[in-house]
Structure formats: structure tokens, C-alpha cells
Amino acid sequence: MSKTKLSRFSLKRNNVKTFLFFLVFTSVLWLFIQFSKNYTQEVVVDIQYTNLPDNRVLNDNSDQTLKLTLNGNGFRLINHIWSNPKIQFDIANAIETTNRDYYFYTKEANQTLKNKLKFKGRILSIQKDTLHVKLDINLEKKVPVRISKEIEYAPGYGSDKGVVLSPDSIMISGPESIVDTILFIVTENLELNGLNNDFRTVLPIKIDNLPPKIEAVPKEIEASITVSKFTEGSQEVPITLVNVPEDRVIKIFPKEVKVVYRVGLDKYNEINIRDFKVIADYKKVSEDSPFLILELVDMPESIHDVRLQDKQVQFVILN
């Protein structure tokens, strides 16, 4: 490139730099002039209440925002427009009407509000002249944990106790009106397929299902399953007649019914006929029906998938 071309290129580059310098300078000067002017602006500030009594929590119906009309130059206002300003009120300085209701008078505390906001302009107006604060009792309660589960065992396997949770209940705390409505807590879902070995895991509590302001401790629990080999068993159990009038004699056919169940191999020999009770309730007989419905009312806790081979039995009235 010739010297003449290089000189022209350098001149153009210098002109661009000069133009950009003056553009930036005038822009900054314009912004400075604009921000030096006075403006009036509405601002919504969040309210935070401090030093609440240990056994109290803030009720949602309390005033938690306050709208102010501020006047000042742009430099003073910009921080309160772009940021999320907060004002703190100490409950110890409130006017207490009951042990749950408190008040702050804002009209009488204009300078105090300016100091809390760190605003050096003027507060032209305040939306409310009084802030109402309501405190609820902070209640603690122990509630049971329920597991959401979908478990399939491998063929020939099962569990005597199923899923065992530790702990089986947790402590919740929050406003009394909300805590009283919570009867149990649910875990995240546990899905297992083809289970044939002992299993242990940690499950989180479904915190997202809890209402706002409710705390739960602990936030996760341990779930365990003891798995064993299962087999099918059965017992011929005598049928017991109940609620038969004293002036009647009833005969049933047959007098026994087979109870079929699944049980762990380690418990198979522990099951005997005395662990079961099957009844036929004469009070529940349908009119003109020759059958009594059978009910299994007693059985061991260690058996599963229990069923009666026959669900009813024939009967005759002898007198």
C-alpha cells in the first residue's frame, strides 16, 4: 500500500475516533443534565417486620407493601426505581392492641421513613397512614409420613412388612390456622420393578406440596424393604356361626372353608389353623337366600394376598 493511501486511512480512523469521543461525551452530558432534574415518582416498597416474638409468625393479611410518592432528582430516585427497596419495622416499636394485632402510624413518621429508605429527597405522600400487622401462633405438630409407591416384586418374592419408614412421622411448624389442616406428609414417589433383594434408600419429602410458610423437619426420610422368598400356603378353617337367634338351630354346608395365602418361606411353618377365624353372620343373610356370606376376621400379619376359596356357604334352618 502506498504512503498516500496509508495517510488517508489513518486520517479516516482518527476522524471516527473523534466522532465517537464526542458522541459518548455528549450522551454522558445529556444524561447528567436529565438526572439532575427533579422528578416525582410512585414507588412500592416491601415491608419487613423484625423481632417477632418466638411463638408468632406473620399473618398473610398483614400490610406487607407500602406505596410512596417520592420527589427528588434522578440520581436520588434511580436507586429506588430499579432496585427493590425494603423498609424494616421493629415490632417492639409497634402499638399493640391485642396479643396478635399491632399498628404502626406512618404519617407521623415521614422523616423515619426517609431514613429507613436512605432517601435524601422528599416524600410527598404515603398510601396508608396506618400499617396493620397481625401475628399468628407458630404451632408445631408431628404428622405421619405416607409414601407414594409403585412396587412390583420378582416372581416368588415378597416382603412381610413392605416399606418401612424411618422416621415414620415428622415435625411441621407454621401458622396455627394452616398447621391444623395438615393431617399427613407425602414422600416423593418410589418406583421399583422385579425386586428380589433387600432395598434401602432416602426419600425427600414433597416440600412443594406444603402450603407457604410451613416448615418440615426432617426434609427426607429413610425407606427400607426386607425381601424374602414367598410361597403359597392354605388352611382348612372351620366356619363360626354368629348372631343366630336362641330359638333357632342352623346347619351349614360345608363346615370348613379353605383360606389361601402367600407367605415368606421363613414364616411358612409358623402359620397354623388357630391363626384364622372365618364367620358367617346370620344377621346379614338376604331374604329368601339359602346362603350365608363368609368373612375372614382374623389372620396372621405375615401373610399376603389372602383369599377365601369359597365366599359363601349354604345353610338350612332345622327349627
Side-chain angles (χ1 to χ4, degrees):
M1 185 179 291
S2 65
K3 291 183 178 180
T4 302
K5 289 183 178 181
L6 283 172
S7 177
R8 288 177 181 174
F9 177 76
S10 298
L11 183 61
K12 287 181 179 179
R13 187 169 62 180
N14 289 334
N15 287 339
V16 170
K17 288 182 178 179
T18 303
F19 171 76
L20 291 176
F21 170 78
F22 279 105
L23 177 63
V24 172
F25 176 77
T26 54
S27 297
V28 171
L29 183 62
W30 179 84
L31 287 173
F32 182 82
I33 294 171
Q34 296 302 314
F35 275 92
S36 298
K37 295 178 181 179
N38 265 25
Y39 297 92
T40 298
Q41 180 69 40
E42 279 192 348
V43 175
V44 177
V45 299
D46 291 333
I47 301 173
Q48 293 180 335
Y49 299 102
T50 60
N51 291 327
L52 273 64
D54 292 338
N55 63 338
R56 294 286 189 267
V57 290
L58 189 68
N59 185 286
D60 287 336
N61 293 324
S62 301
D63 289 322
Q64 298 182 59
T65 60
L66 183 63
K67 186 183 292 184
L68 306 174
T69 303
L70 305 180
N71 178 265
N73 64 45
F75 294 105
R76 291 172 176 169
L77 285 173
I78 191 169
N79 183 54
H80 296 84
I81 296 173
W82 288 358
S83 65
N84 185 24
K86 296 180 176 62
I87 299 179
Q88 291 187 342
F89 286 89
D90 191 334
I91 288 294
N93 298 325
I95 299 171
E96 183 179 356
T97 57
T98 69
N99 63 347
R100 296 196 185 189
D101 292 291
Y102 299 78
Y103 293 92
F104 290 93
Y105 293 117
T106 58
K107 289 292 186 182
E108 300 173 358
N110 194 305
Q111 186 60 43
T112 302
L113 290 179
K114 287 176 60 175
N115 295 338
K116 288 178 180 292
L117 277 173
K118 297 180 180 178
F119 181 63
K120 299 188 181 303
R122 292 189 300 153
I123 298 179
L124 299 182
S125 66
I126 303 172
Q127 177 193 25
K128 301 174 183 177
D129 59 3
T130 304
L131 295 177
H132 175 237
V133 187
K134 187 175 182 62
L135 301 183
D136 285 335
I137 293 176
N138 187 38
L139 182 66
E140 287 188 338
K141 183 174 78 170
K142 184 174 282 190
V143 293
V145 177
R146 291 186 182 177
I147 183 171
S148 177
K149 64 182 186 297
E150 296 176 21
I151 300 174
E152 291 185 8
Y153 296 94
Y157 288 84
S159 175
D160 285 338
K161 296 181 179 179
V163 182
V164 177
L165 303 179
S166 179
D168 60 2
S169 59
I170 65 173
M171 191 68 72
I172 61 171
S173 62
E176 180 182 27
S177 57
I178 301 176
V179 170
D180 280 341
T181 66
I182 301 174
L183 303 179
F184 59 87
I185 296 291
V186 180
T187 68
E188 296 290 345
N189 193 44
L190 176 63
E191 294 185 17
L192 298 170
N193 292 306
L195 188 63
N196 59 5
N197 286 303
D198 292 350
F199 178 82
R200 189 181 300 272
T201 190
V202 173
L203 289 176
I205 301 297
K206 281 189 176 180
I207 300 297
D208 293 342
N209 286 9
L210 294 175
K213 296 189 176 181
I214 296 297
E215 294 290 331
V217 179
K219 291 182 170 53
E220 57 185 25
I221 61 166
E222 186 178 271
S224 61
I225 307 173
T226 301
V227 178
S228 59
K229 281 231 172 191
F230 267 49
T231 187
E232 187 171 271
S234 64
Q235 299 284 342
E236 291 287 345
V237 179
I239 301 168
T240 302
L241 278 169
V242 297
N243 294 321
V244 178
E246 293 182 0
D247 59 346
R248 287 196 176 179
V249 177
I250 306 295
K251 293 292 183 182
I252 58 173
F253 305 95
K255 295 182 179 181
E256 296 179 337
V257 63
K258 179 180 283 190
V259 181
V260 182
Y261 51 87
R262 293 177 66 244
V263 63
L265 283 176
D266 55 337
K267 298 283 179 35
Y268 181 81
N269 292 326
E270 298 177 8
I271 309 299
N272 62 68
I273 194 172
R274 293 187 299 275
D275 297 324
F276 299 87
K277 184 177 183 180
V278 177
I279 65 169
D281 192 343
Y282 185 74
K283 276 189 177 179
K284 297 180 180 179
V285 66
S286 300
E287 189 175 355
D288 299 327
S289 172
F291 297 100
L292 289 170
I293 304 301
L294 299 179
E295 300 175 61
L296 179 62
V297 294
D298 282 330
M299 61 181 175
E301 293 183 356
S302 58
I303 64 174
H304 304 269
D305 304 327
V306 187
R307 68 184 189 277
L308 297 175
Q309 194 170 62
D310 297 309
K311 298 185 183 301
Q312 58 187 14
V313 64
Q314 285 186 311
F315 75 97
V316 294
I317 302 174
L318 298 182
N319 68 342

